[in-house]
PDB file of all heavy atoms in Angstrom:
ATOM      1  N   GLY O 261      44.976 169.853 -24.965  1.00 91.00           N
ATOM      2  CA  GLY O 261      46.241 169.867 -25.673  1.00 91.00           C
ATOM      3  C   GLY O 261      46.964 168.604 -25.712  1.00 91.00           C
ATOM      4  O   GLY O 261      48.102 168.429 -26.041  1.00 91.00           O
ATOM      5  N   PHE O 262      46.301 167.489 -25.152  1.00 93.00           N
ATOM      6  CA  PHE O 262      46.915 166.185 -25.117  1.00 93.00           C
ATOM      7  C   PHE O 262      47.274 165.718 -26.514  1.00 93.00           C
ATOM      8  O   PHE O 262      46.423 165.926 -27.486  1.00 93.00           O
ATOM      9  CB  PHE O 262      45.812 165.173 -24.464  1.00 93.00           C
ATOM     10  CG  PHE O 262      46.378 163.734 -24.371  1.00 93.00           C
ATOM     11  CD1 PHE O 262      47.358 163.444 -23.371  1.00 93.00           C
ATOM     12  CD2 PHE O 262      45.926 162.811 -25.277  1.00 93.00           C
ATOM     13  CE1 PHE O 262      47.719 162.163 -23.226  1.00 93.00           C
ATOM     14  CE2 PHE O 262      46.391 161.492 -25.208  1.00 93.00           C
ATOM     15  CZ  PHE O 262      47.353 161.150 -24.126  1.00 93.00           C
ATOM     16  N   GLN O 263      48.547 165.122 -26.645  1.00 95.00           N
ATOM     17  CA  GLN O 263      48.911 164.655 -27.890  1.00 95.00           C
ATOM     18  C   GLN O 263      49.465 165.798 -28.783  1.00 95.00           C
ATOM     19  O   GLN O 263      49.852 165.534 -29.932  1.00 95.00           O
ATOM     20  CB  GLN O 263      48.085 163.731 -28.672  1.00 95.00           C
ATOM     21  CG  GLN O 263      47.869 162.388 -27.861  1.00 95.00           C
ATOM     22  CD  GLN O 263      47.084 161.461 -28.754  1.00 95.00           C
ATOM     23  OE1 GLN O 263      46.001 161.834 -29.430  1.00 95.00           O
ATOM     24  NE2 GLN O 263      47.343 160.168 -28.544  1.00 95.00           N
ATOM     25  N   ARG O 264      49.452 167.093 -28.405  1.00 97.00           N
ATOM     26  CA  ARG O 264      49.976 168.057 -29.207  1.00 97.00           C
ATOM     27  C   ARG O 264      51.396 168.341 -28.855  1.00 97.00           C
ATOM     28  O   ARG O 264      51.937 167.994 -27.734  1.00 97.00           O
ATOM     29  CB  ARG O 264      49.261 169.383 -28.991  1.00 97.00           C
ATOM     30  CG  ARG O 264      47.845 169.345 -29.434  1.00 97.00           C
ATOM     31  CD  ARG O 264      47.784 169.316 -31.025  1.00 97.00           C
ATOM     32  NE  ARG O 264      46.377 169.046 -31.460  1.00 97.00           N
ATOM     33  CZ  ARG O 264      46.060 168.951 -32.805  1.00 97.00           C
ATOM     34  NH1 ARG O 264      46.986 169.189 -33.722  1.00 97.00           N
ATOM     35  NH2 ARG O 264      44.820 168.792 -33.150  1.00 97.00           N
ATOM     36  N   ALA O 265      52.241 168.875 -29.823  1.00 98.00           N
ATOM     37  CA  ALA O 265      53.655 169.030 -29.575  1.00 98.00           C
ATOM     38  C   ALA O 265      54.057 169.663 -28.287  1.00 98.00           C
ATOM     39  O   ALA O 265      54.994 169.206 -27.626  1.00 98.00           O
ATOM     40  CB  ALA O 265      54.247 169.726 -30.786  1.00 98.00           C
ATOM     41  N   GLU O 266      53.462 170.774 -27.925  1.00 97.00           N
ATOM     42  CA  GLU O 266      53.772 171.510 -26.753  1.00 97.00           C
ATOM     43  C   GLU O 266      53.618 170.685 -25.574  1.00 97.00           C
ATOM     44  O   GLU O 266      54.289 170.730 -24.608  1.00 97.00           O
ATOM     45  CB  GLU O 266      52.929 172.777 -26.669  1.00 97.00           C
ATOM     46  CG  GLU O 266      53.290 173.883 -27.794  1.00 97.00           C
ATOM     47  CD  GLU O 266      52.754 173.462 -29.134  1.00 97.00           C
ATOM     48  OE1 GLU O 266      51.913 172.567 -29.208  1.00 97.00           O
ATOM     49  OE2 GLU O 266      53.116 174.146 -30.128  1.00 97.00           O
ATOM     50  N   TYR O 267      52.463 169.831 -25.444  1.00 97.00           N
ATOM     51  CA  TYR O 267      52.125 169.039 -24.265  1.00 97.00           C
ATOM     52  C   TYR O 267      53.209 167.952 -24.233  1.00 97.00           C
ATOM     53  O   TYR O 267      53.733 167.685 -23.048  1.00 97.00           O
ATOM     54  CB  TYR O 267      50.809 168.448 -24.499  1.00 97.00           C
ATOM     55  CG  TYR O 267      50.292 167.466 -23.320  1.00 97.00           C
ATOM     56  CD1 TYR O 267      49.587 168.103 -22.271  1.00 97.00           C
ATOM     57  CD2 TYR O 267      50.667 166.108 -23.328  1.00 97.00           C
ATOM     58  CE1 TYR O 267      49.199 167.301 -21.206  1.00 97.00           C
ATOM     59  CE2 TYR O 267      50.295 165.359 -22.199  1.00 97.00           C
ATOM     60  CZ  TYR O 267      49.623 165.928 -21.278  1.00 97.00           C
ATOM     61  OH  TYR O 267      49.097 165.087 -20.122  1.00 97.00           O
ATOM     62  N   LEU O 268      53.676 167.386 -25.245  1.00 97.00           N
ATOM     63  CA  LEU O 268      54.719 166.331 -25.281  1.00 97.00           C
ATOM     64  C   LEU O 268      56.042 166.853 -24.871  1.00 97.00           C
ATOM     65  O   LEU O 268      56.796 166.148 -24.204  1.00 97.00           O
ATOM     66  CB  LEU O 268      54.786 165.642 -26.738  1.00 97.00           C
ATOM     67  CG  LEU O 268      53.462 164.932 -27.179  1.00 97.00           C
ATOM     68  CD1 LEU O 268      53.742 164.243 -28.497  1.00 97.00           C
ATOM     69  CD2 LEU O 268      52.926 164.009 -26.148  1.00 97.00           C
ATOM     70  N   LEU O 269      56.304 168.144 -25.289  1.00 98.00           N
ATOM     71  CA  LEU O 269      57.705 168.708 -24.946  1.00 98.00           C
ATOM     72  C   LEU O 269      57.690 168.942 -23.371  1.00 98.00           C
ATOM     73  O   LEU O 269      58.570 168.616 -22.651  1.00 98.00           O
ATOM     74  CB  LEU O 269      57.824 170.054 -25.608  1.00 98.00           C
ATOM     75  CG  LEU O 269      58.936 170.877 -25.123  1.00 98.00           C
ATOM     76  CD1 LEU O 269      60.307 170.133 -25.483  1.00 98.00           C
ATOM     77  CD2 LEU O 269      58.974 172.266 -25.883  1.00 98.00           C
ATOM     78  N   GLU O 270      56.463 169.391 -22.849  1.00 97.00           N
ATOM     79  CA  GLU O 270      56.373 169.628 -21.333  1.00 97.00           C
ATOM     80  C   GLU O 270      56.524 168.409 -20.630  1.00 97.00           C
ATOM     81  O   GLU O 270      57.014 168.393 -19.431  1.00 97.00           O
ATOM     82  CB  GLU O 270      55.015 170.299 -21.092  1.00 97.00           C
ATOM     83  CG  GLU O 270      54.796 170.691 -19.595  1.00 97.00           C
ATOM     84  CD  GLU O 270      53.538 171.320 -19.399  1.00 97.00           C
ATOM     85  OE1 GLU O 270      52.853 171.812 -20.445  1.00 97.00           O
ATOM     86  OE2 GLU O 270      53.094 171.337 -18.241  1.00 97.00           O
ATOM     87  N   HIS O 271      56.166 167.234 -21.126  1.00 96.00           N
ATOM     88  CA  HIS O 271      56.197 165.944 -20.458  1.00 96.00           C
ATOM     89  C   HIS O 271      57.393 165.078 -20.917  1.00 96.00           C
ATOM     90  O   HIS O 271      57.408 163.889 -20.601  1.00 96.00           O
ATOM     91  CB  HIS O 271      54.853 165.218 -20.732  1.00 96.00           C
ATOM     92  CG  HIS O 271      53.759 165.778 -19.871  1.00 96.00           C
ATOM     93  ND1 HIS O 271      53.085 166.938 -20.328  1.00 96.00           N
ATOM     94  CD2 HIS O 271      53.168 165.535 -18.712  1.00 96.00           C
ATOM     95  CE1 HIS O 271      52.097 167.278 -19.540  1.00 96.00           C
ATOM     96  NE2 HIS O 271      52.127 166.502 -18.480  1.00 96.00           N
ATOM     97  N   GLY O 272      58.345 165.595 -21.711  1.00 96.00           N
ATOM     98  CA  GLY O 272      59.616 164.984 -21.872  1.00 96.00           C
ATOM     99  C   GLY O 272      59.622 164.033 -23.019  1.00 96.00           C
ATOM    100  O   GLY O 272      60.533 163.182 -23.105  1.00 96.00           O
TER     101      GLY O 272
END
Side-chain angles (χ1 to χ4, degrees):
F262 180 76
Q263 292 186 324
R264 293 291 172 179
E266 292 75 11
Y267 182 93
L268 299 183
L269 176 64
E270 185 181 339
H271 290 79

